[in-house]
Amino acid sequence: MRKMKKTLSMTAVLVAAAMLAAGCGSQPAADTGSSADAEAETSGAVDLNSKSLDDIIADAKEEGRVESVGMPDSWANWGLMWEAMNETYGIEHADADMSSAEELQMFATEGENGTKDIGDVGQAFGAQAVDEDLVQGYKTSYWDSVPDWAKGEDGKWMMAYTGATTFLVNTDLIDEEAPTSWQDIREGSYKVSIGDINGGNAQAAIVASAYAFGGADSDITDFDAALDAAFEFWTEMAEAGRINTVDITQQGFETGEVPVGVVWSFTAIPYKDAITEYNFEANIPTDGSILSGYASVINKYAPHPNAAALTREYIFSDEGQNLLAAAGAIPTRTDVEISEEIQENTFHTEDYADAIPMTDTDAYTAVCEQIVERWTAEILPLLVS
């Protein structure tokens, strides 16, 4: 399940929404002239890329609603985005929280009788959604400022944000300085949790440590030596009893059972802000951090396709990208400026300047599969002995 909460003032939301409404220009487009309902009935999927932004806004207002999956209020500041969409365009919203796999399964199961409009899926699931013909494209007016690795053909998936590998440290429960590098962890006495190895967070932590100990210039398509170095480190940690098997949930940090956890940046900041029982420090490791993120996907048979397109438009706007950054996410747009106030409360851009984006999704997925196999064979026996 998705969890975490981050709040900004409602004034900031309304200002952001007003700026979006005033600043949206029109994309070059053919004149469509037909209503959203007529388009959906004749084509199954609306040709959103052929429409001007003005027409999308008008049709989205007519639809009046957007149904999302995996985009609950408490995740990545979505709640503030939904509020801004409602204040600016009068669009109501509801979400059904579920995993990436469950989102695509719902799209597939419902087919032409789709009840959901837009979802937020892990990086590897964007290509799967296209392969299974579950989604339709919308490129947004910010298409050219999104790196090629973060978007699919015709906008059938677009990654609005990534997370950076981050150490979340309970400074009340450790006797040392909070670690700022993997080398600090190796040389210290910290007991570290990364979560279930079958989950994306734990796998990403291993990849990040491989870059730290196997070379930051390692090519993930030829990663065997880097993984060997990482597993040497994790074997040392296991033999020293320094791998914490408590899961990296907010509850684990709240109870003090996880003094040091390796999480995504967009998990670290909401946890840090929400937990009042202890003091926390969130550090992106200087010697090994990766960027991996989530992609928005628009259901091929979305009942409110224009509202879904407008939602994506907002996510990629300056205001939307800043809202994501306020939750500790790393915006993917290359030309967006993150406000100094947000950087002061989360991370400065230089903190993740050396983090390595996982631009080759297939290679990253293959490495993660190796990690699960090796962890099961090499590390788990040390944890139960």
Side-chain angles (χ1 to χ4, degrees):
M1 294 292 286
R2 308 201 178 196
K3 39 202 176 282
M4 71 213 63
K5 188 173 184 179
K6 174 74 180 179
T7 58
L8 294 177
S9 70
M10 194 59 207
T11 300
V13 175
L14 297 179
V15 169
M19 290 173 65
L20 174 65
C24 287
S26 297
Q27 296 171 296
D31 182 13
T32 57
S34 58
S35 71
D37 288 343
E39 289 171 318
E41 288 171 1
T42 56
S43 65
V46 179
D47 185 5
L48 295 167
N49 284 322
S50 72
K51 303 181 68 169
S52 72
L53 184 52
D54 289 338
D55 285 342
I56 284 175
I57 291 172
D59 285 341
K61 287 181 176 180
E62 184 179 341
E63 291 169 351
R65 186 168 187 80
V66 62
E67 297 279 347
S68 67
V69 281
M71 301 175 74
D73 290 357
S74 58
W75 177 273
N77 262 348
W78 291 140
L80 295 183
M81 182 190 71
W82 301 128
E83 290 179 25
M85 292 279 289
N86 181 259
E87 289 286 338
T88 307
Y89 303 110
I91 294 174
E92 301 291 336
H93 165 258
D95 181 79
D97 190 15
M98 56 186 67
S99 70
S100 299
E102 290 169 336
E103 293 176 43
L104 297 189
Q105 183 60 52
M106 174 168 277
F107 287 2
T109 300
E110 293 186 342
E112 296 183 13
N113 299 312
T115 63
K116 308 302 180 185
D117 299 303
I118 188 169
D120 188 48
V121 298
Q123 182 171 347
F125 289 87
Q128 177 183 332
V130 175
D131 290 343
E132 296 178 6
D133 195 24
L134 301 175
V135 292
Q136 59 182 303
Y138 178 61
K139 296 168 71 171
T140 85
S141 54
Y142 305 97
W143 180 257
D144 291 339
S145 65
V146 177
D148 288 345
W149 63 267
K151 60 193 180 186
E153 184 178 359
D154 294 328
K156 289 188 175 180
W157 58 267
M158 290 184 70
M159 289 176 59
Y161 65 101
T162 62
T165 312
T166 303
F167 299 152
L168 183 59
V169 184
N170 186 326
T171 55
D172 293 336
L173 296 181
I174 61 170
D175 298 325
E176 307 158 87
E177 293 292 320
T180 60
S181 69
W182 288 100
Q183 190 62 35
D184 286 346
I185 295 232
R186 188 170 218 165
E187 294 175 355
S189 59
Y190 316 95
K191 192 168 184 178
V192 178
S193 178
I194 61 174
D196 182 357
I197 198 62
N198 294 298
N201 184 95
Q203 295 162 19
I206 307 302
V207 174
S209 68
Y211 277 109
F213 298 120
D217 57 352
S218 299
D219 179 359
I220 199 164
T221 62
D222 185 19
F223 215 52
D224 289 347
L227 276 186
D228 287 343
F231 272 89
E232 180 181 336
F233 162 71
W234 288 104
T235 298
E236 292 174 9
M237 293 285 288
E239 290 176 341
R242 294 176 53 203
I243 295 178
N244 188 348
T245 57
V246 177
D247 202 4
I248 47 166
T249 61
Q250 182 171 320
Q251 182 180 7
F253 285 97
E254 282 178 331
T255 60
E257 295 174 280
V258 180
V260 180
V262 186
V263 297
W264 292 116
S265 55
F266 54 73
T267 303
I269 295 303
Y271 282 9
K272 177 176 177 287
D273 290 351
I275 299 171
T276 58
E277 292 85 354
Y278 296 103
N279 293 302
F280 285 88
E281 188 172 315
N283 297 318
I284 294 174
T286 57
D287 55 355
S289 180
I290 67 170
L291 298 175
S292 182
Y294 283 77
S296 67
V297 287
I298 299 175
N299 189 358
K300 180 177 181 179
Y301 295 102
H304 314 102
N306 295 281
L310 186 57
T311 297
R312 179 182 281 177
E313 187 75 26
Y314 185 84
I315 293 170
F316 280 92
S317 71
D318 289 357
E319 296 73 32
Q321 294 279 278
N322 271 267
L323 281 179
L324 288 166
I330 314 299
T332 53
R333 267 185 54 202
T334 57
D335 60 347
V336 72
E337 293 186 10
I338 306 304
S339 77
E340 189 61 32
E341 179 183 1
I342 288 174
Q343 292 188 55
E344 286 293 331
N345 290 321
T346 57
F347 302 102
H348 288 273
T349 54
E350 57 265 28
D351 293 337
Y352 50 82
D354 294 329
I356 301 168
M358 296 294 97
T359 59
D360 190 329
T361 299
D362 290 341
Y364 178 61
T365 300
V367 165
C368 288
E369 291 172 352
Q370 290 182 56
I371 286 169
V372 173
E373 292 176 2
R374 291 193 60 173
W375 188 273
T376 302
E378 300 172 34
I379 306 300
L380 278 185
L382 299 176
L383 299 181
V384 298
S385 60

